């Protein structure tokens, strides 16, 4: 019998695909009914986005100032696992943003040409090598095994503006300008967990459990969360790994959770497995105080699989990391603008949480590149982006400080899955718009690896031109 811990590369990739709770792999919603004013396919082209002015526009560039930059265009790459996941969110976001920006005049007159770099989950180094030969930067993408290409990217001094990063080697690495809140030395969800056990459901503090898919990558995430809870005196009453390749019968897992009296459950896996587990728990009449469904489940697919009976009985919560909720677009100009632009340039495409983050990354890149004028270089665009100390993507997300490469998450917002759809949790109290920006932070003490640096490949910022 094959050991669960001796996975082949493809099996490991599949495991990570299934369990990486911080990364969307198909759990986000299509544009939901009631998500805001009805979008129009006749949105007039404007160079403004949200509260950002003149993001894109005409100009008269004359120089070919860097690799991938000519007087007419800027060549960038978009990382994606679409060949494995069949999810087109990063490709769609690139199409929508570049269509809008180019129609508005481009970046100082240079049109953006985006090339999809399909990693297919495991071909990370191959795609990075291609990007190193052709691209000015990587923008608005993500890959589950992104750490495999970090050294190659740094070796060729390729900047990255990702939608989100996943592995410790890449998260917070040099030349990375991320719109994702929280640095690699901190537990990104610490504020959420503290809110759960100290404020919202203190009765659950001594009965917290974790269940996750069995892979080396996820075991690190389990260890980080265990460290956090134990640091605050919260013992783990239950820790379980399930086969990431699939569970034919969730009844034994549900029975163990019930027998151990778990009141709060951290789930790290795919939303399909979560729905099946919750159905078994509900059939046993076992109701937990809370279940962290994670952002994988933030969307209609999980709601449909779980069903109204489970959603009404169990308390599914997700921290969506300081991104404005899609279902609340009517109250937020920038989010509604994303929906409108998708309707115009990619009608029928899903607007997912990662797509919104990708759009923020594209905005950061375009604004930074525009500030460089005709002499657009990697050094200039990196330095310009690093000066953003309260980046919101025009209002798509809570502010983050890009001048700090490794800091804690400052804001969170919590969503609850209901039979009527995802909604802001009723017992969550925002302090700043849709967000709580006065949250707990936790710096990790364990050895979980380090983000890649230029020094790792014998280079420094002085080599960046």
């Amino acid at each position: 019998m094959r050991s669960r811990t001796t996975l082949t590369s493809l099996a490991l990739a599949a495991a990570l695909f299934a369990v990486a709770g911080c990364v969307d792999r198909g759990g986000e919603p299509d544009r939901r009914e009631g998500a805001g004013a009805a979008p129009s396919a006749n949105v007039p082209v404007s160079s403004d986005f949200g509260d950002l002015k003149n993001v894109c526009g005409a100009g008269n560039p004359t120089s070919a100032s860097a690799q991938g930059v000519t007087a007419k265009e800027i060549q960038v790459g978009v990382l994606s696992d679409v060949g494995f996941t069949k999810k087109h969110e990063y490709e769609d976001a690139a199409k929508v943003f570049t269509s809008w920006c180019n129609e508005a005049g481009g970046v100082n007159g240079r049109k953006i040409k985006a090339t999809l770099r399909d990693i297919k989950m495991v071909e990370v180094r191959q795609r990075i090598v291609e990007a190193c030969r052709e691209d000015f930067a990587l923008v608005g993408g993500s890959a589950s095994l992104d750490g495999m290409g970090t050294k190659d990217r740094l070796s060729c001094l390729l900047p990255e503006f990702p939608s989100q990063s996943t592995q410790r080697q890449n998260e917070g690495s040099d030349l990375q300008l991320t719109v994702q809140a929280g640095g690699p030395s901190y537990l990104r969800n610490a504020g959420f967990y503290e809110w759960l056990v100290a404020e919202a459901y203190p009765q659950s503090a001594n009965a917290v459990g974790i269940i996750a898919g069995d892979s080396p990558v996820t075991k690190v995430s389990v260890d980080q969360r265990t460290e956090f809870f134990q640091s605050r005196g919260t013992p783990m009453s239950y820790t379980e790994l399930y086969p990431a390749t699939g569970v034919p019968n969730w009844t034994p897992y549900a029975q163990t959770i019930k027998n151990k009296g778990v009141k709060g459950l951290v789930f790290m896996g795919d939303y399909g497995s979560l729905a099946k587990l919750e159905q078994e728990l509900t059939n046993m009449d076992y109701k937990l105080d809370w279940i962290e469904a994670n952002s994988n489940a933030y969307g209609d697919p999980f709601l449909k699989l779980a069903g109204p009976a489970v959603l009404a009985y169990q308390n599914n919560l997700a921290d969506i990391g300081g991104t404005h909720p899609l279902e609340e677009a009517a109250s937020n100009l920038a989010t509604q603008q994303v929906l409108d632009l998708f309707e115009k340039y990619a009608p029928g495409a899903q607007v997912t949480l990662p797509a919104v983050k990708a759009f923020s990354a594209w905005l950061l890149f375009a604004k930074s590149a525009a500030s460089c004028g005709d002499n657009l270089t990697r050094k200039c665009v990196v330095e310009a982006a690093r000066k953003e100390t309260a980046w919101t993507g025009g209002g798509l997300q809570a502010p983050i400080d890009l001048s700090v490469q490794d800091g804690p998450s400052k804001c969170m917002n919590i969503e609850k899955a209901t039979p009527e759809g995802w909604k802001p949790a009723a017992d969550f109290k925002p302090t700043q718009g849709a967000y709580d920006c006065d949250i707990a932070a936790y710096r990790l003490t364990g050895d979980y690896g380090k983000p890649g640096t230029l020094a790792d490949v014998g280079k420094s910022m002085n080599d960046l031109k």
Side-chain angles (χ1 to χ4, degrees), residues 288-352:
L288 292 92
D289 291 341
W290 56 267
I291 298 173
E292 186 207 357
N294 73 59
S295 62
N296 273 346
Y298 177 63
D300 284 346
F302 170 70
L303 303 179
K304 292 176 181 178
L305 287 174
V310 168
L311 296 173
Y313 191 65
Q314 302 293 350
N315 184 23
N316 283 282
L317 301 171
D319 175 12
I320 60 172
T323 301
H324 198 277
L326 285 166
E327 76 277 1
E328 298 286 310
S331 64
N332 190 55
L333 172 63
T335 307
Q336 185 64 54
Q337 195 168 351
V338 168
L339 300 185
D340 290 343
L341 291 173
F342 263 74
E343 182 68 14
K344 179 176 183 178
Y345 295 109
Q350 291 186 326
V351 183
T352 68

Side-chain angles (χ1 to χ4, degrees), residues 129-150:
V129 169
E130 293 170 1
C132 283
R133 287 198 305 261
E134 302 172 7
D135 297 336
F136 175 66
L138 295 172
V139 184
S142 181
S144 292
L145 298 174
D146 57 5
M148 293 171 60
T150 302

Side-chain angles (χ1 to χ4, degrees), residues 1 70 168 268 403 447 465:
M1 180 179 291
T70 69
R168 192 65 178 267
M268 301 181 66
S403 70
D447 182 8
K465 306 300 181 185

Side-chain angles (χ1 to χ4, degrees), residues 27-274:
E28 277 63 31
D30 202 343
R31 282 191 301 101
R32 295 184 284 277
E33 294 181 7
S40 168
N42 298 312
V43 179
V45 176
S46 168
S47 61
D48 301 338
F49 182 89
D51 60 18
L52 296 173
K53 304 300 180 184
N54 300 315
V55 177
C56 300
N60 296 295
T62 60
S63 65
S65 51
Q67 176 183 295
V69 178
T70 69
K72 294 184 178 181
E73 70 177 24
I74 307 169
Q75 165 71 45
V76 300
V78 182
L79 297 183
S80 173
D81 288 319
V82 63
F84 183 86
T85 66
K86 310 306 178 186
K87 302 299 178 182
H88 296 266
E89 56 215 352
Y90 299 126
E91 182 181 2
D92 291 338
K95 176 184 178 181
V96 171
F97 182 86
T98 58
S99 297
W100 166 71
C101 186
N102 289 342
E103 190 173 348
V107 177
N108 291 332
R110 290 185 174 105
K111 300 301 175 66
I112 305 175
K113 179 183 177 183
T115 298
L116 184 69
R117 305 291 181 190
D118 184 4
I119 297 229
K120 303 174 185 176
M121 195 64 76
V122 294
E123 296 179 6
V124 182
R125 296 193 65 188
Q126 295 96 314
R127 299 295 89 77
I128 294 296
V129 169
E130 293 170 1
C132 283
R133 287 198 305 261
E134 302 172 7
D135 297 336
F136 175 66
L138 295 172
V139 184
S142 181
S144 292
L145 298 174
D146 57 5
M148 293 171 60
T150 302
K151 283 190 175 182
D152 294 306
R153 180 178 62 80
L154 293 174
S155 293
C156 73
L157 300 170
L158 183 64
E160 182 185 27
F161 293 73
S163 168
Q164 53 197 2
S165 53
T166 58
Q167 291 190 292
R168 192 65 178 267
Q169 302 97 310
N170 196 49
E171 184 183 4
S173 57
D174 282 349
L175 303 186
Q176 185 182 89
L177 296 307
T178 180
V179 297
Q180 181 173 263
S185 296
Y186 295 84
L187 182 63
R188 184 170 288 113
N189 301 107
F192 178 42
Y193 295 140
E194 185 68 20
W195 176 83
L196 285 169
V197 298
E199 183 177 339
Y201 310 98
Q203 70 276 11
S204 70
N206 292 320
V208 174
I210 300 178
I211 183 168
D214 186 1
S215 81
V217 175
T218 306
K219 287 176 182 177
V220 172
S221 297
V222 170
D223 290 344
Q224 290 175 341
R225 283 152 178 78
T226 300
E227 178 192 316
F228 165 77
F229 282 113
Q230 291 180 343
S231 75
R232 67 177 311 285
T234 300
M236 302 309 298
S237 63
Y238 167 74
T239 301
E240 183 82 56
L241 297 174
Y242 68 86
T245 51
V247 175
N249 181 10
W250 281 95
T251 301
Y253 294 91
Q255 189 64 57
T256 301
I257 291 170
K258 180 177 181 179
N259 292 345
K260 289 184 175 291
V262 176
K263 296 182 178 179
L265 183 66
V266 176
F267 183 86
M268 301 181 66
D270 63 287
Y271 62 83
S273 295
L274 176 59

